[in-house]
């Protein structure tokens, strides 16, 4: 395996998914592509403008990058606008990811992700 | 927390990078930072940057790269900026060369500020009007003005 696509969201379960993906990537000497998707159409609180959401998403990505660096895991960061599920599926194909890793408490419809993805998906609790 | 514009000394803005290769570009950007005193050990800092570049792609797409390192060889967070007409290969996922290159140096113990600076700069550089402004700027003062104008 050469590439794992790690779907990044700001949820309580995300650190466990990151730790699991990093451990797997280190063990298999493969690269992680950490992907955050910002949905411009998603309803949000009045006190959380899009620019703050984007900054928070970059912050999460760079925290993961720093962890990966400390563990000698190769990583690339990706922040994309759009509807999360179709973007995730499309990008997993574009970047030829062999596995998708997401947190079990991510906001995606997990059954739809499994149904639509041509790649294996692991949800980490 | 300091603004991006406050962390970028005018003396560390290089409008016409001469180097074509990423590690040479990094050296070209580190040079003016030495005079600021923010980098205390050039060899150790360059080594940390090179190690990161070998592990990560710091090209974030859209013609932008942000090489960065957090190390004991840095006394305070500081940025350098370089512009390359021909572009430099920073292994961006979009496969395109980087024309706007921001280098970030941070002290080992300032992880939160370092991550926040990276996040704020990345957000800023995804705005079309910021990249257009940086590409058009004719002087270091113009570069600083573009950044200041778009910082929230």
């Amino acid at each position: 395996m050469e590439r794992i696509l790690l779907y990044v969201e700001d949820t309580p379960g995300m650190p466990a998914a990151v730790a699991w993906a990093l451990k797997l990537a280190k063990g298999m000497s493969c690269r992680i592509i950490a992907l955050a998707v910002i949905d411009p159409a998603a309803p949000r609180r009045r006190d959380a403008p899009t620019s703050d959401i984007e900054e928070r998403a970059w912050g999460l990505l760079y925290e993961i990058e720093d962890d990966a660096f400390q563990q000698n895991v190769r990583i690339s960061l990706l922040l994309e606008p759009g509807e999360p599920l179709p973007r995730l599926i499309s990008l997993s194909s574009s970047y030829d990811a062999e596995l998708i890793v997401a947190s079990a408490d991510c906001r995606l419809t997990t059954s739809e992700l499994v149904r639509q993805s041509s790649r294996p998906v692991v949800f980490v609790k | 927390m300091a603004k991006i514009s406050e962390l970028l000394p005018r003396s560390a803005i290089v409008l016409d990078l001469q180097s074509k290769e990423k590690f040479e570009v990094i050296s070209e950007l580190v040079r003016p930072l030495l005079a600021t005193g923010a980098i205390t050990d050039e060899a150790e800092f360059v080594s940390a940057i090179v190690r990161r570049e070998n592990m990560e792609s710091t090209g974030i797409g859209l013609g932008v790269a942000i090489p960065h390192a957090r190390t004991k060889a840095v006394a305070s967070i500081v940025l350098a900026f370089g512009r390359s007409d021909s572009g430099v290969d920073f292994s961006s996922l979009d496969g395109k060369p980087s024309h706007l290159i921001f280098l970030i140096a941070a002290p080992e113990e300032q992880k939160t500020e370092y991550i926040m600076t990276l996040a704020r700069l990345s957000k800023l550089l995804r705005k079309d009007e910021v990249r257009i402004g940086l590409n058009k700027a004719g002087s270091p003062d113009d570069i600083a003005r573009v950044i200041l104008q778009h910082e929230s």
Side-chain angles (χ1 to χ4, degrees):
Chain A
M1 186 155 67
E2 291 185 10
R3 275 175 295 276
I4 297 170
L5 185 62
L6 173 63
Y7 178 69
V8 177
E9 272 190 6
D10 190 5
T11 64
M14 197 64 226
V18 171
W20 192 87
L22 289 177
K23 190 175 176 185
L24 182 67
K26 190 174 173 68
M28 302 196 75
S29 299
C30 61
R31 175 177 289 277
I32 285 184
I33 299 172
L35 166 71
V37 182
I38 294 178
D39 185 352
R44 57 180 57 92
R45 301 195 323 259
R46 284 181 62 199
D47 59 348
T50 307
S51 65
D52 289 353
I53 291 168
E54 184 175 343
E55 191 170 307
R56 177 67 191 140
W58 276 117
L60 280 174
L61 290 173
Y62 280 114
E63 279 177 28
I64 294 166
E65 186 204 66
D66 205 56
D67 288 348
F69 177 68
Q70 304 301 335
Q71 297 181 42
N72 289 320
V73 173
R74 290 174 298 143
I75 188 164
S76 301
L77 307 183
L78 202 53
L79 187 140
E80 291 281 324
E83 201 181 329
L85 183 59
R87 289 303 287 150
L88 171 58
I89 288 168
S90 156
L91 290 165
S92 67
S93 176
S94 308
Y95 292 112
D96 205 17
E98 290 143 292
L99 178 70
I100 297 172
V101 177
S103 168
D105 63 357
C106 70
R107 297 179 195 96
L108 299 171
T109 309
T110 53
S111 56
E112 275 302 299
L113 173 55
V114 171
R115 194 178 65 77
Q116 292 183 30
S117 174
S118 58
R119 270 80 180 157
V121 184
V122 173
F123 294 104
V124 180
K125 269 192 175 177
Chain B
M1 182 167 287
K3 289 185 166 187
I4 300 293
S5 49
E6 294 166 349
L7 297 171
L8 178 63
R10 303 286 198 281
S11 60
I13 294 174
V14 183
L15 291 179
D16 185 17
L17 286 165
Q18 299 301 303
S19 311
K20 310 287 181 206
E21 191 273 333
K22 74 172 171 179
F23 292 119
E24 290 173 5
V25 165
I26 287 166
S27 295
E28 201 175 333
L29 290 175
V30 167
R31 229 168 284 140
L33 289 180
L34 297 173
T36 69
I39 294 176
T40 54
D41 184 331
E42 180 184 6
E44 189 179 329
F45 178 70
V46 170
S47 162
I49 283 264
V50 167
R51 192 168 155 243
R52 275 211 182 251
E53 286 298 323
N54 287 332
M55 298 291 295
E56 304 160 1
S57 49
T58 57
I60 63 168
L62 305 171
V64 174
I66 312 179
H68 53 276
R70 182 169 61 91
T71 156
K72 287 176 184 147
V74 179
S76 57
I77 295 187
V78 69
L79 272 64
F81 167 73
R83 195 172 64 191
S84 166
D85 286 343
S86 54
V88 182
D89 181 10
F90 270 85
S91 309
S92 290
L93 277 175
D94 65 7
K96 293 179 181 161
S98 299
H99 297 272
L100 303 173
I101 298 137
F102 280 85
L103 182 142
I104 300 182
E108 178 82 33
E109 66 278 8
Q110 290 190 21
K111 181 177 175 181
T112 303
E113 293 84 350
Y114 168 67
I115 299 284
M116 289 290 291
T117 303
L118 279 162
R120 287 192 344 231
L121 185 60
S122 299
K123 181 187 78 174
L124 195 68
L125 292 168
R126 282 179 64 88
K127 293 180 184 172
D128 291 344
E129 59 271 32
V130 173
R131 296 194 310 279
I132 290 168
L134 293 174
N135 276 311
K136 281 186 177 170
S139 70
D141 281 342
D142 288 346
I143 295 285
R145 227 179 337 264
V146 169
I147 295 169
L148 185 61
Q149 186 186 342
H150 290 91
E151 276 191 288
S152 51

